[in-house]
Amino acid sequence: MSQQTWPSLSRHICWLMAALAVAGLAVSDALPFLYTNLRAPINWTQPQLDDWKVEVQPRSVVPHVELKYHPNRTSTETADTDEAFLERLRALRQNRSSARMLWYDAAAGDGLTYPPFVDKALKLFNLKQVAFEIENSVLSKVSCTACKAGAGLLQHYIKSGKTDAELMKMIAQYCTNLSIQSPRVCEGVAQLFGSEVIYVLQRVNLGPDELCSFIIGDGCGDVYNPYHEWEVIFPPVPKPPRLAELPVPLEAAPFFKVLHISDTHYDPHYVEGANADCNEPLCCRLSSGRPASPNAAAGKWGDYRKCDTPKRTVDNMLAHIADTHKDIDYILWTGDLPPHDVWNQTKQENLEIIKETVKQMTEKFPGVPIFPALGNHESAPVNSFPPPYVNQVDISINWLYDELDVQWRRWLPQSVSHTVRRGAFYSVLVRPGFRIISLNMNYCNNKNWWLLLNSTDPATELQWFIYELQSAEFSNEKVHVIGHIPPGHSDCLKVWSRNFYKIISRYESTITAQFYGHTHFDEFEMFYDPHDLTHSNSIAYIGPSVSPYYDLNPGYRIYYVDGDHDTTTRLVIDHESWIMNLKEANLYGYPIWYKLYTARAAYNMKALRPSDWDKLLNDLTDNQELFEIYYKNYWKNSPARPTCDAECKKRMLCDCKSGRSHDRRHFCADVESKIDEGSSKSWKSWFYRGLTNSTWEQHTEEQGNIESNALGFSDVVYGVFG
């Protein structure tokens, strides 16, 4: 994912719809059918799904990682052979006499010029607010209205028989004439995204209400949509009894040292001294123009403004890691490699960036296993990941998945090729009794418009996930899950996230940690038993971004994971975040990477079990001093971070507690009430809360910082993007 730009397709498409929305609002009287619950009939048929069967696919059953001897490790005991260790694990297993069970259930005006009524509509429509909300993914009723108006008008034009070329030209002209973006960005977005959106809208039987609820989420109302309601199928195997309390990992036991890198957003066109304060979604390039002043010039090592990561910074970070952390056992690499120039990307350019970064990682960490996950920026256009049933050559995603299989094969066993080529997900047995499952979270991405055709478990990924977890449970394996978009993030489809949440609860004794990126911040996300919210059952670690985009320092994470021994929990023992102070690096000409904090020491945690993180969440709610430490680490100690008031604190802690997307009211009432009790009861806070309770609270699902003022929305701090 990416943070605060146009990383999410919905933001780009909503830009297009916002351009149409002004026209839509102005002509609503003339086109009343756009704003009723009656839908014009559309020729729509259920996509033909394939008959891919989960249980007949090959699995990774041979340990993939051979441990190396590191003399600086605490334990000096000679490790067992894999065979001996596996045999001892078998001896420890209980209730393993029954055979493995397999399952599979098969069961407006039509001119292309700027219309005269727009001036009148602009007086009624706060386009500036819509533009801000779209760019920062903090969507209120205003943006919802814009989405509905734009979607309705676009559907009207499609039905009226306009060609794709006419529609894209109209979209670009509206975008330019309303000054939503620069002409070249408007033209690029219309060309790159327009044909895909038109293709999908021609084939769905959804009105504007359903479309915008799907794209924006609860921020646009929880509209019931029978086309997008589905449930995964669990095997007829009872859930193992849960432990009263998970054991604390042994301090002196063997461990794995794990590097987590995410959201590199390497920009091959970054130019030191270029304009960092441009009027486009990505700056610091020659095409950004000349800086108006020395302060507007891009720094040598990066910039806090809308700029991605220069190659020298990526090279320096990898060299620093290789030199400082010589004893890394394996690497988690959770996606988002290309930059944020989403209006002019090509498939070929994105593939070249993938190849180059894979080459970098291979050269810097020879012999170190790397487990990658796919980000939402790897595709072109961004967020476009058609499911397998969309198999036409010109729109299929095979161009990306086939190349990923080639590149990832440097680190992954051949047995995963079939699932990588199908959906860019895989499962690998890392060590005896320990498995890593990498998910393609773009199938939960509500900015992936292809899911409007059919969002039912795209690529059969979640059903496959259940099969892998049940097989792991039968084999007494512990599992770490990796992906890009956190499942509780508002970019994740509500129905997908709801099913995922059930899976985590069912297999809580098997899944011992989850790892994601996407938000660019340093944070975490909690999971609870859906039937007992006092029982925390899983923790998702959300790693910091390498990219400074935007207002952030570059960073990465190191985890210490319970290793190979008889009583291993495979829990994360501790983690530390490392950063580079970008301001000082640009000032002195050379970056210095340093450890910002270690989780257990910074937050006074006994261990890093889900229950410990749940306790920390309560402590952060009650202890303002501790929260300020967390807030500093969340922003990677950026000097550009804004202040955080009570509303900001509520949003941040609610983000931590909401492992299920678009369901904040279900999880956050206690956190918000505690913060309200301790916060000022000034008229300003009261007025802001009045706004949030009516419409706004539901729409701030993204990572970011919300600042209120007496006028409501004017001080909204930049949020996080997908």
Side-chain angles (χ1 to χ4, degrees), residues 52 58-60 64 331-334 369-374 404-405 408-409 411-430 435-440 461 464-465 468 479-483:
W52 190 72
R59 298 186 68 239
S60 169
H64 187 59
I331 298 171
L332 304 178
W333 194 19
T334 52
I370 300 177
F371 299 99
L374 182 64
L404 289 179
D405 182 44
W408 290 359
R409 190 73 63 80
W411 309 301
L412 303 179
Q414 185 175 359
S415 60
V416 308
S417 178
H418 64 292
T419 55
V420 171
R421 287 180 178 265
R422 174 177 174 81
F425 50 85
Y426 62 86
S427 172
V428 172
L429 185 66
V430 180
R435 181 174 295 273
I436 287 178
I437 297 178
S438 177
L439 296 177
N440 182 355
E461 180 180 32
W464 166 87
F465 185 42
E468 285 292 324
V479 171
H480 284 183
V481 178
I482 68 173

Side-chain angles (χ1 to χ4, degrees), residues 383-540:
N383 296 311
S384 177
F385 295 88
Y389 60 77
V390 181
N391 53 19
Q392 295 94 317
V393 174
D394 56 332
I395 56 178
S396 166
I397 196 65
N398 290 345
W399 67 271
L400 177 61
Y401 293 173
D402 289 352
E403 185 61 39
L404 289 179
D405 182 44
V406 173
Q407 298 299 321
W408 290 359
R409 190 73 63 80
R410 300 169 186 243
W411 309 301
L412 303 179
Q414 185 175 359
S415 60
V416 308
S417 178
H418 64 292
T419 55
V420 171
R421 287 180 178 265
R422 174 177 174 81
F425 50 85
Y426 62 86
S427 172
V428 172
L429 185 66
V430 180
R431 298 289 299 149
F434 178 46
R435 181 174 295 273
I436 287 178
I437 297 178
S438 177
L439 296 177
N440 182 355
M441 301 301 289
N442 292 294
Y443 291 136
C444 92
N445 188 350
N446 54 11
K447 316 309 184 289
N448 181 6
W449 271 52
W450 293 104
L451 300 186
L452 281 167
L453 295 174
N454 188 329
S455 67
T456 304
D457 192 12
T460 329
E461 180 180 32
L462 287 185
Q463 207 63 55
W464 166 87
F465 185 42
I466 292 174
Y467 178 79
E468 285 292 324
L469 290 172
Q470 188 60 63
S471 300
E473 182 180 281
F474 283 143
S475 302
N476 203 29
E477 296 169 356
K478 299 299 182 185
V479 171
H480 284 183
V481 178
I482 68 173
H484 183 67
I485 301 174
H489 195 280
S490 62
D491 281 350
C492 189
L493 274 177
K494 184 174 183 176
V495 63
W496 198 99
S497 180
R498 183 184 67 213
N499 279 283
F500 184 85
Y501 206 83
K502 291 179 181 178
I503 295 172
I504 297 298
S505 180
R506 165 59 184 85
Y507 295 100
E508 64 175 278
S509 62
T510 298
I511 300 170
T512 58
Q514 304 176 56
F515 305 87
Y516 303 97
H518 188 62
T519 73
H520 289 207
F521 294 105
D522 189 299
E523 51 184 328
F524 66 96
E525 202 171 78
M526 291 297 305
F527 291 74
Y528 298 87
D529 187 324
H531 306 293
D532 178 11
L533 294 183
T534 64
H535 173 62
S536 52
N537 57 23
S538 189
I539 174 69

